[in-house]
Amino acid sequence: MAKKIPIGVLASGSGSNLQSLIDHIEAGKLDAEIRVVLCNNADAYALERCRKHNIPTRVVNHREFTSRELFDQRMIEILNACGVTLVVMAGFMRILSPEFFRAFPLRIMNIHPALLPSFPGTHVQQKALDYGVRFSGCTVHFADEGVDSGPIIIQAVVPVLDDDTVESLAERILNEEHRIYPQAVQYFAEDKIEIVGRRVRIRTGRPAAEKPLSNPPLASHV
Ligand code: GRF
């Protein structure tokens, strides 16, 4: 078995992406070990998921800190103490400080439920519906100091259907998130990621045209 990379996951809510990472690890498809899950919200369902799988958790409540920097400093300390080499943001609803990015340069991944650079920020399924795009999707990218602006690792496209609601579109996008996030982390684990400027290249040993970095097969209902 390949060496497992130690990761730390940051979550604030439901944690379905966290669950997908756990499931891929348990199925032997992702060479990673979740050393710690950090939550800023003690009620996050992500914590319950960890209990079921014996994954260590720490709650760091941002309200107990007088500044963003002090909150981030505490998270950095915990992640370093756990020997984390990759930080995986999975629905983490806090903006990170420059200090945090300096602590883990190009070692923080995020997943965003839109095709960046379209619709950064929040409420993006609503924005995609309001704009009337025919396709949306999700993006795994390295996080940087901007909002959803770092180098893109994988994107997946989903159609926007005429009768979609925010909920139905979000669900279709989430299904793709759960597929591409573990894949991106696995590329990192296999040391296949190369970053040239803004562009991420994946060393798969296959011809560029066959690399799984563009659209997945579209869903069967299209
Ligand atoms: C996902 O849509 C993700 O793209 C965004 O926040 C949501 C988190 O969902 N960053 P979950 O907590 O993983 O279920």
Side-chain angles (χ1 to χ4, degrees):
M1 176 173 251
K3 193 166 164 288
K4 288 176 173 283
I5 54 154
I7 67 173
V9 179
L10 310 187
S12 299
S14 149
S16 69
N17 277 290
L18 165 66
Q19 186 68 54
S20 176
L21 295 169
I22 294 170
D23 293 345
H24 279 74
I25 290 169
E26 291 185 350
K29 295 178 190 164
L30 174 54
D31 299 318
E33 177 195 351
I34 301 177
R35 290 277 176 92
V36 67
V37 172
L38 279 179
C39 275
N40 63 313
N41 165 19
D43 297 326
Y45 186 65
L47 293 168
E48 180 60 27
R49 296 182 192 273
C50 292
R51 275 190 280 278
K52 289 183 184 155
H53 294 268
N54 288 323
I55 293 170
T57 59
R58 298 289 289 274
V59 175
V60 185
N61 183 347
H62 57 278
R63 293 192 187 84
E64 291 171 4
F65 294 81
T66 51
S67 72
R68 188 184 304 284
E69 287 69 28
L70 288 172
F71 169 64
D72 283 6
Q73 190 53 51
R74 184 72 194 117
M75 291 201 297
I76 293 167
E77 281 165 14
I78 295 171
L79 292 164
N80 280 334
C82 293
V84 163
T85 59
L86 178 70
V87 178
V88 180
M89 297 170 73
F92 187 65
M93 298 307 286
R94 303 295 303 167
I95 291 173
L96 298 168
S97 62
E99 192 178 3
F100 195 93
F101 292 103
R102 275 196 295 276
F104 300 98
L106 289 173
R107 289 192 289 125
I108 307 168
M109 280 188 194
N110 184 39
I111 188 152
H112 182 74
L115 289 176
L116 293 171
S118 291
F119 310 124
T122 55
H123 307 294
V124 298
Q125 294 90 352
Q126 184 67 61
K127 286 175 187 163
L129 289 175
D130 291 348
Y131 198 93
V133 292
R134 287 296 186 186
F135 293 91
S136 188
C138 46
T139 304
V140 181
H141 64 97
F142 285 107
D144 66 10
E145 293 182 28
V147 177
D148 302 317
S149 59
I152 290 170
I153 305 166
I154 308 183
Q155 293 184 301
V157 177
V158 305
V160 179
L161 306 181
D162 288 350
D163 57 356
D164 261 334
T165 60
V166 167
E167 291 72 27
S168 63
L169 180 58
E171 186 184 342
R172 193 175 309 115
I173 292 172
L174 264 181
N175 283 336
E176 290 301 311
E177 294 185 32
H178 299 160
R179 188 177 64 81
I180 66 172
Y181 215 178
Q183 177 67 74
V185 176
Q186 179 63 15
Y187 285 147
F188 189 95
E190 293 172 346
D191 196 23
K192 286 184 172 164
I193 296 182
E194 187 184 355
I195 305 170
V196 184
R198 274 204 57 84
R199 297 185 70 182
V200 170
R201 296 200 179 122
I202 309 293
R203 295 183 288 256
T204 62
R206 277 179 277 150
E210 291 175 18
K211 287 181 184 174
L213 302 176
S214 54
N215 298 4
L218 288 178
S220 56
H221 55 261
V222 181

